[in-house]
Amino acid sequence: MQQILVILLLALIASGCASNSQKYYWGSYENLVYKMYNKPGAADPGLQIITLTRDIQKAQDSGKKV
């Protein structure tokens, strides 16, 4: 009985983690941060603002958090 409860608890935790990832929209954020730190010249601040603003709009349109 205890093993079944442990398995159910682990399944519940795993399903909770999987569903949370779909509530958020990352867009190009990770790529921009990578470029900013590894190739600073390739991450033009103006382009970052435009890209992130577009990503925020896409997140809002799809009902997800940024």
Side-chain angles (χ1 to χ4, degrees), residues 50-63:
I50 291 169
T51 303
L52 293 175
T53 302
R54 190 177 306 137
D55 287 344
I56 290 169
Q57 186 62 47
K58 286 181 185 177
Q60 290 173 344
D61 291 345
S62 65

Side-chain angles (χ1 to χ4, degrees), residues 4-5 10-11 16 18 26 28 33 39 42 44 47 49 52 55-57 65:
I4 293 174
L5 289 175
L10 291 174
W26 289 91
S28 303
V33 171
K39 299 177 184 176
D44 176 52
L47 180 60
I49 292 170
L52 293 175
D55 287 344
I56 290 169
Q57 186 62 47
K65 297 179 182 179

Side-chain angles (χ1 to χ4, degrees), residues 7-66:
I7 291 171
L8 288 175
L9 180 62
L10 291 174
L12 181 64
I13 291 171
S15 67
C17 293
S19 65
N20 284 340
S21 65
Q22 295 177 7
K23 292 181 182 178
Y24 296 96
Y25 181 78
W26 289 91
S28 303
Y29 176 74
E30 292 175 332
N31 289 334
L32 287 174
V33 171
Y34 177 81
K35 283 182 183 180
M36 184 177 69
Y37 284 108
N38 290 316
K39 299 177 184 176
D44 176 52
L47 180 60
Q48 289 183 41
I49 292 170
I50 291 169
T51 303
L52 293 175
T53 302
R54 190 177 306 137
D55 287 344
I56 290 169
Q57 186 62 47
K58 286 181 185 177
Q60 290 173 344
D61 291 345
S62 65
K64 296 181 181 180
K65 297 179 182 179
V66 181

